[in-house]
């Protein structure tokens, strides 16, 4: 923000002195340095995303957030019908440099504060989508998004907001990788190999990436070498990286936290079947949540979200089933 | 108005029940034995109790992310509520809902809606069903001050108005939506000025005075039941606890908090009962002891109750 | 409606004497017979779907509609967060017999009145989804939906509203199959074979079903025998029918009008790869629109929507590529 | 107020331009040579012209599904508009937008927004950008009466109000939203009563009198530009054509239509110009002949212009 005065933040409960810096303290502190550029809104999601769009059209670079990804549905007309189409409808004359942030994932709050809606937005042309799994990427992708001339939706996982601080979640995982102080970006559309392997490619982002790494660890114990790819961006998607990996391992499993039907995994599986049919030794495995709303009670929530165990099973199934 | 003593004491007992329930729950959270998150009702008890005491059993309420008070006031059992907070099968939603979605249609409470403003259209539709069926029932929509800035509020209250539906829209104005003061997000002195926009009456009352709330609610409920249409009822109150767990409320000015604590509804009403001679201190103490015992029993029962089987998550998606 | 007095219609411009009976005259005439049960609303989609939900919770059976599927996004919080989850959050105690109707498809109106959003809703657990392609099914599925105790979303295609009547679209196709006067239902979840064939299964609904039939005709001329399946329901999906067909043809193509990425075709292709990997001779083909908003100009709109030609090519590709 | 003749004649010419444009377009539709659908502006010309004549070139408007009048009044060329309606590359959106999305940011018009109410937050955000950058510019949001029932209206006008943004919200109250009379979907006599809900001024004027509209707009624009915040301006008018193509308007009572035709803005203003001696009939006729010629030229150019290549559909998704 210090670099570009066109950048401003807009959201609920982000600018109150003595407040929280958003539902998950993400903007905490910024309200002191950039008072006028931290805009605290009424509880009006459609309004605030539309306002951000209007400002973006005029050349500002807003960073708009909702407190939970579920609330994107309150702003859905703006996101889908306006933000994603404005440039196109204008015949390319209007530019929409707009960043949207939304925390996702189930955290003991029941069905309305828990969804992983990535797949729903994945099918909306005109939006770029990123999903950082580490603190390093969170900073680098945010900076890339802010410098991008198109709408970018950033999904962040509540359980990755750091194990420290006042709003850390009980089961939060430590994703606090080294974060350099200096300016750097993680380019949109660049995935990364988180662990190398030769028998099966496991594609996973956000919290699932961490579980996939744990699964890979366990699989190694069984003699199965899993390569873990974190695509980091969903749109654009790093097909090159994934194809290179699957070309080597000849097997793939996609892990996601959202419901299975119509999920990200469906697209990746269908695309890989088309792109890599000469290589794939087995159908792409999909690990996802069941097709249900998110339940509250801890045992049910735990059952809902893919576990390390389920990832291990799926990878093992794909490898063993194809003579690995 | 003259009320009978039983009724007056009943209101007191209900408010104390809610307060003690919430305090106990807060403690369970701090101990780390209760899962999830909570939004609590301490300080606002006079609203739920004042309004619900003006309703019949067959009337229906919708609630919010802060629903425990509404649930107890509408007659859900302490057990079924505590069970739900613990995520047990004995909970009013069998553990599927959790704190933000407690409810029981049999008791006239729709599972609480945690999307701010989301319940306003739903309550309006409940009112529509009563009108279409010509049933003499009323729908009450509880919402916070912040909810009045949502589009859903606007659309739904307008529909209630144009169709003269039997609905009472209750704004619990505790002056904040999360950390944001309402005076920063609405330029109107009273949120009931928004009633003008829909051509319905708007009434603002002292929401920390249970009898005042009760009386205003009665008028609005009567109006709704008679077919004269909805009322926007604003109850001025204060949340004397955090917005949700672990909120130290640093955004609330010291002075304001002090004043609010002095005006909190239970102390005030208790003092009034004593001053009027309606009750002795002993009766008040006894009410409190009784509810404490009931709450303890509910905690015990909830902790002892079975957790749902993990695979039970797969049930109840479709009828 | 005569059968069950709990049924009522709620929507915009549906109940005005001298008006249209909704944007596409679907309810025209009903306002005379059932005055009190045709409820004309303000332009308030979130409000009207929430109102319908409230009434459904109390045991009525509302039929709520939007004038264009794109406007569902204005009511998205109600559809996704409330309607689809209410029963679940209640632990099964609340029942939501609610029918939602939405016209879809591009018809020369530009990006905001054109979308095929089926895939977006496909990924939302708690909703049943049907897509009638003929007048017979439109009636039968509507009746089934009205008698169903769960939320059902009906997507209807603007170009299938009949070539007759005041609001017929210029390019409308004649889908006016025989519609028996009497009471019948088409059960949710039952697909139908529209044309039998042996070389490839083409799965398509709504307008695309009609194009698939034309494509099958052309393919027959080339000696390729295509079986055309209209799933009719997306949720629940008639896997039995599709598997039986693919078990016979060993090849499949999915056709849809929405954008390709994250589409219905992705799920069907991924599922078929898992379910039928021993049968499939080639990766499932996908024919869909490109990942762009819907353009206005006729040549671009025509380019956007899958043509008979593209279906023919895809089917031919799948068959020829696998030695058919 | 005293206006110079040029200005007064200019208003007339603009209104006639819009009327004749729309009539020509209607004819092209009936002939079947124009694709798509249309929502036309006949009868409402005084609103677009009255408001836009109070704006500077650098001010920005948002529009609706009924945008042709706004576009012409804000200075888009007839050619670029006609080209867009024909879906040609010469169109202001290169054929990607169509009738419901015409606009040109260079001329201060965002591509029109066909989702009712959808433009209100966007105009508000444009106002916010002016305020953050301390630019002396104003955003104007055109909307229909029906749009005031959308949640987006409520959320956005409130935001404009609390932040004192330089925005003028213009309601073109033509008494109907599609076939539905506004008196059936809002219980307020004047929609500007809704301004109370946000603590901003609401002004209702005769929207068929172009000078009245102009003057009211000037006050509101001045107020916005000076930093005093938004105004809700309601212009009472009437749509003397169908809602969209092929709407016979059977829902409009005969009497009402007759009256509306008698009060339509162009005839009225023309008569006034003659009565005041500001113009002779010949000058008015000439204005009309001129715009007719310009329109014919635009039709010719649009029909002759190349259609976009089909694959051009793949461009302009991302910058
Ligand atoms: C649509 C939506 N936006 C934001 C939130 C997050 N949120 C939960 S409670 C709350 C504040 C609500 O304020 P108010 O309506 O005054 O109710 P109170 O909490 O004071 O009871 C917010 C912003 C939400 N639950 N739903
Ligand atoms: C969100 C949304 N709902 C419904 C429609 C369909 N629709 C288009 S115009 C219209 C009526 C609009 O009425 P009003 O705002 O008064 O504008 P007018 O047509 O009178 O200019 C409707 C319902 C729409 N475009 N967007
Ligand atoms: Mg509040
Ligand atoms: Mg209108």
């Amino acid at each position: 923000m210090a670099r570009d005065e066109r950048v401003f933040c807009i959201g609920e409960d982000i600018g109150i002195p003595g407040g929280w810096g958003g539902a998950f303290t993400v903007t905490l502190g910024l309200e002191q340095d950039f008072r006028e550029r931290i805009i605290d809104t009424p509880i009006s999601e459609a309004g605030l995303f539309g306002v951000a769009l209007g400002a973006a059209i005029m050349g500002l670079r807003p960073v708009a957030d909702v407190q939970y990804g579920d609330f994107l549905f309150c702003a859905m007309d703006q996101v889908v019908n306006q933000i994603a189409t404005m440039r196109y409808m204008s015949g390319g004359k209007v530019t929409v440099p707009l960043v949207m942030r939304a925390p996702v994932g189930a955290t003991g709050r029941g069905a309305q504060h828990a969804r992983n809606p990535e797949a729903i937005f994945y099918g909306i042309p005109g939006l770029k989508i990123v999903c950082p799994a580490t603190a390093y990427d969170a900073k680098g992708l945010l900076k890339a998004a802010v410098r991008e001339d198109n709408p970018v939706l950033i999904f962040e996982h509540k359980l990755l907001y750091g194990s420290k601080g006042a709003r850390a979640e009980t089961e939060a995982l430590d994703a606090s990788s080294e974060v350099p102080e200096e300016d750097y970006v993680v380019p949109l559309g660049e995935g990364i190999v988180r662990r190398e392997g030769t028998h099966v490619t496991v594609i996973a982002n956000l919290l699932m990436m961490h579980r996939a790494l744990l699964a890979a660890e366990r699989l190694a114990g069984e003699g199965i070498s899993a390569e873990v790819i974190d695509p980091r961006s969903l749109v654009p998607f790093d097909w090159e990286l994934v194809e290179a990996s699957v070309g080597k391992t000849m097997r793939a499993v996609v892990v996601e936290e959202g419901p299975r039907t119509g999920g990200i995994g469906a697209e990746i599986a269908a695309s890989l079947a088309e792109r890599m049919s000469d290589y794939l030794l087995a159908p792409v495995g999909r690990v996802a949540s069941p097709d249900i709303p998110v339940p509250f009670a801890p045992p049910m929530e735990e059952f809902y979200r893919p576990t390390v165990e389920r990832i291990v099973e799926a990878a093992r199934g794909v490898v063993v089933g194809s003579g690995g | 108005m003259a009320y009978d003593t039983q009724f007056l004491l009943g209101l007191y007992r209900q408010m104390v029940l809610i307060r003690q329930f919430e305090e106990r729950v807060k403690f369970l959270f701090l101990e780390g034995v209760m899962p999830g998150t909570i939004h609590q009702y301490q300080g606002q008890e006079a609203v739920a109790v004042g309004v619900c005491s003006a309703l019949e059993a067959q009337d229906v309420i919708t609630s919010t992310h802060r629903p425990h008070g509404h649930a107890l006031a509408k007659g859900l059992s302490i057990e079924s509520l505590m069970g739900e907070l613990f995520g047990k099968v004995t909970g009013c939603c069998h553990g599927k809902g959790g704190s933000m979605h407690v409810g029981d249609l049999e008791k006239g409470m729709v599972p609480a809606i945690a999307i701010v403003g989301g319940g306003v259209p739903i309550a309006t539709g409940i009112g529509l069903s009563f009108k279409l069926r010509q049933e003499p029932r009323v729908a009450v929509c509880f919402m916070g001050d912040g909810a009045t800035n949502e589009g859903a509020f606007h659309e739904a209250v307008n529909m209630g108005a144009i169709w003269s539906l039997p609905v009472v829209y209750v704004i619990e104005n505790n002056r904040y939506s999360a950390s944001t003061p309402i005076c920063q997000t609405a330029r109107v002195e009273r949120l009931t000025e928004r009633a003008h926009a829909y051509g319905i009456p708007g009434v603002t009352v002292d929401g920390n005075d249970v009898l005042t709330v009760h009386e205003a609610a009665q008028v609005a409920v009567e109006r709704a039941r008679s077919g004269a249409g909805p009322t926007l009822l604003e109850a001025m109150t204060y949340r004397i606890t955090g917005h949700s767990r672990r909120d130290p409320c640093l955004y609330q000015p010291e002075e304001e908090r002090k004043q609010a604590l002095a005006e909190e509804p239970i102390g005030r009403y208790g003092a009034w009962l004593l001053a009027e001679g309606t009750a002795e201190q002993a009766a008040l103490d006894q009410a409190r002891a009784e509810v404490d015992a009931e709450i303890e029993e509910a905690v015990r029962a909830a902790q002892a109750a079975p957790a749902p089987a993990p695979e039970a998550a797969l049930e109840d998606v479709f009828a």
Side-chain angles (χ1 to χ4, degrees), chain A, chain B:
Chain A
M1 290 182 75
R3 183 177 163 275
D4 185 342
E5 60 175 31
R6 293 169 303 177
V7 177
F8 72 96
C9 296
I10 181 164
E12 293 161 15
D13 295 299
I14 65 173
I16 303 294
W20 317 322
F24 294 96
T25 65
V26 173
T27 58
L28 194 62
L30 283 179
E31 80 277 9
Q32 282 155 29
D33 288 353
F34 300 104
R35 191 71 208 90
E36 282 123 64
R37 290 199 277 142
I38 297 289
I39 297 182
D40 198 54
T41 73
I43 315 184
S44 309
E45 288 78 11
L48 94 85
F49 276 74
V51 162
L53 171 58
I57 288 173
M58 298 312 293
L60 295 183
R61 307 183 84 82
V63 180
D65 73 2
V66 283
Q67 300 189 339
Y68 289 79
D70 313 72
F71 311 161
L72 284 172
F73 297 115
C74 298
M76 199 70 172
D77 168 54
Q78 289 294 330
V79 176
V80 176
N81 287 327
Q82 318 298 341
I83 292 169
T85 64
M86 183 57 76
R87 176 177 179 76
Y88 191 77
M89 296 191 306
S90 78
K93 290 181 171 178
V94 170
T95 301
V96 182
L98 170 53
V99 178
M100 299 169 273
R101 294 184 38 248
V104 301
T107 51
R109 288 173 170 88
Q112 296 183 336
H113 288 66
R115 217 176 269 268
N116 281 78
E118 299 92 297
I120 291 171
F121 293 90
Y122 191 39
I124 296 169
L127 300 178
K128 297 198 173 182
I129 303 178
V130 304
C131 300
T134 68
Y136 179 91
D137 283 354
K139 176 174 169 182
L141 286 168
L142 175 61
K143 279 183 180 281
V146 168
R147 294 172 200 181
E148 164 81 21
D149 276 339
N150 295 297
V152 181
L153 187 46
I154 308 183
F155 290 112
E156 300 163 8
H157 201 288
K158 285 160 229 163
L159 294 183
L160 299 177
Y161 276 134
S163 39
K164 302 147 205 158
R167 290 281 294 183
E169 292 293 314
T170 330
E171 300 174 74
L173 210 136
D174 190 356
S176 54
S177 55
E178 293 272 304
V179 182
E181 266 300 315
E182 76 266 16
D183 191 37
Y184 66 91
V185 300
V186 172
L188 306 187
E190 257 186 33
I192 187 169
V193 176
R194 295 285 183 196
R195 176 187 173 116
E196 304 216 351
T198 53
H199 295 143
V200 55
T201 302
V202 180
I203 302 160
N205 63 18
L206 293 169
L207 180 67
M208 291 300 118
M209 191 284 285
H210 298 273
R211 296 207 170 166
L213 284 176
L214 294 173
E217 199 63 48
R218 283 220 233 154
L219 287 161
E222 304 181 12
I224 295 176
S225 163
E227 177 144 309
V228 177
I229 288 194
D230 177 359
R232 299 199 286 201
S233 298
L234 289 177
V235 182
F237 192 82
D238 195 343
W239 283 114
E240 212 177 309
L241 187 74
V242 170
E243 287 183 17
S245 175
V246 174
K248 179 177 67 174
T249 62
M250 301 203 270
R251 301 175 188 92
V253 168
V254 191
V255 189
E256 71 190 303
E257 193 171 339
R260 175 185 170 90
T261 297
I264 307 288
E267 178 62 39
I268 297 179
S271 292
L272 281 179
E274 290 159 355
R275 290 164 176 261
M276 309 289 291
S277 65
D278 294 345
Y279 294 86
L280 281 175
L281 297 177
V284 176
R286 288 193 282 164
V287 181
S289 294
D291 292 328
I292 58 174
V294 183
F296 163 68
M300 293 196 284
E301 189 183 284
E302 178 62 15
F303 172 82
Y304 169 81
R305 188 183 0 238
T307 54
V308 174
E309 188 51 40
R310 283 181 55 207
I311 302 172
V312 168
E313 274 166 30
R316 192 194 293 134
V318 166
V319 173
V320 173
S322 59
Chain B
M1 251 187 264
Y3 296 99
D4 79 48
T5 307
Q6 264 335 84
F7 174 78
L8 292 173
L9 277 178
L11 296 182
Y12 183 80
R13 193 176 194 284
Q14 284 267 49
M15 291 202 291
V16 172
L17 168 62
I18 295 172
R19 174 72 53 89
Q20 298 301 99
F21 180 91
E22 291 291 46
E23 288 295 322
R24 188 69 182 91
V25 163
K26 190 172 198 167
F27 191 71
L28 289 163
F29 257 94
L30 292 177
E31 282 188 308
V33 301
M34 192 172 260
T37 189
I38 35 164
H39 301 81
Q40 300 203 292
Y41 203 65
Q42 290 96 321
Q44 307 183 195
E45 295 88 350
V47 187
V49 172
V51 170
C52 289
S53 59
L55 298 179
E56 311 281 332
Q58 84 272 16
D59 296 333
V60 175
I61 67 170
T62 63
S63 178
T64 69
H65 57 284
R66 197 180 300 291
H68 308 167
H70 307 139
L72 289 169
K74 193 64 176 69
L76 269 76
S77 74
I78 313 174
E79 282 75 20
S80 73
L81 210 59
M82 197 65 87
E84 191 61 31
L85 299 194
F86 272 106
K88 297 300 181 72
V89 290
T90 50
C92 51
C93 306
H94 304 325
K96 288 229 166 69
S99 162
M100 286 201 270
H101 304 300
V102 296
D104 186 347
L105 208 47
E106 295 234 317
K107 300 283 182 190
M109 179 181 185
V110 175
I113 292 137
I115 300 292
V116 170
V120 195
I122 298 172
T124 305
I126 293 171
L128 177 65
S129 78
F130 297 155
K131 179 163 178 166
L132 285 177
R133 283 180 154 158
Q134 298 177 294
E135 293 174 339
R137 300 163 72 181
V138 173
V140 170
C141 177
F142 286 105
M143 71 185 102
D145 45 287
T148 66
N149 288 329
E150 281 283 2
F153 163 86
H154 176 71
E155 297 188 2
V157 176
N158 186 52
M159 286 177 167
I162 60 174
W163 298 327
S164 281
L165 300 182
V167 186
V168 181
Y169 300 103
V170 179
I171 304 169
E172 303 195 45
N173 188 342
N174 61 10
R175 297 201 231 168
Y176 291 88
S177 59
S179 70
T180 304
I182 185 71
C183 60
Q184 186 180 305
T185 62
R187 274 176 73 138
V188 284
E189 221 13 79
R190 300 178 159 203
L191 292 170
T192 40
E193 284 177 38
R194 297 199 164 165
H196 288 306
Y198 316 110
I200 60 169
V203 182
T204 300
V205 299
D206 180 348
N208 283 348
D209 180 340
V210 68
L211 282 178
T212 300
V213 174
H214 173 80
E215 284 162 19
Q218 272 206 317
V219 172
V221 167
E222 209 28 70
R223 190 179 136 78
R225 214 183 296 282
S226 73
T231 301
L232 192 60
L233 179 59
E234 179 184 32
M236 301 303 301
T237 182
Y238 202 83
R239 160 166 59 70
I240 59 177
T241 184
H243 167 66
S244 56
R245 66 184 169 140
R246 284 187 290 184
D247 167 18
C249 296
L250 298 178
Y251 48 84
Q252 294 179 342
E254 190 77 31
E255 255 326 290
E256 182 184 289
R257 281 191 65 78
K258 226 188 257 163
Q259 168 115 13
L261 282 168
E263 290 170 3
E264 67 81 24
I266 296 181
R268 241 172 92 176
Y269 185 58
W272 181 83
L273 288 175
L274 295 176
E276 292 284 305
T278 312
E280 305 282 302
Q281 185 64 47
L284 304 188
D285 292 347
Q286 194 197 329
R288 183 177 161 145
E290 281 172 18
V291 305
D292 277 345
E294 289 176 29
I295 292 165
E296 269 336 294
E297 174 51 26
V299 171
R300 201 204 47 71
Q303 289 190 305
E311 319 78 52
L314 301 175
E315 294 158 17
D316 300 326
V317 179
F318 290 119

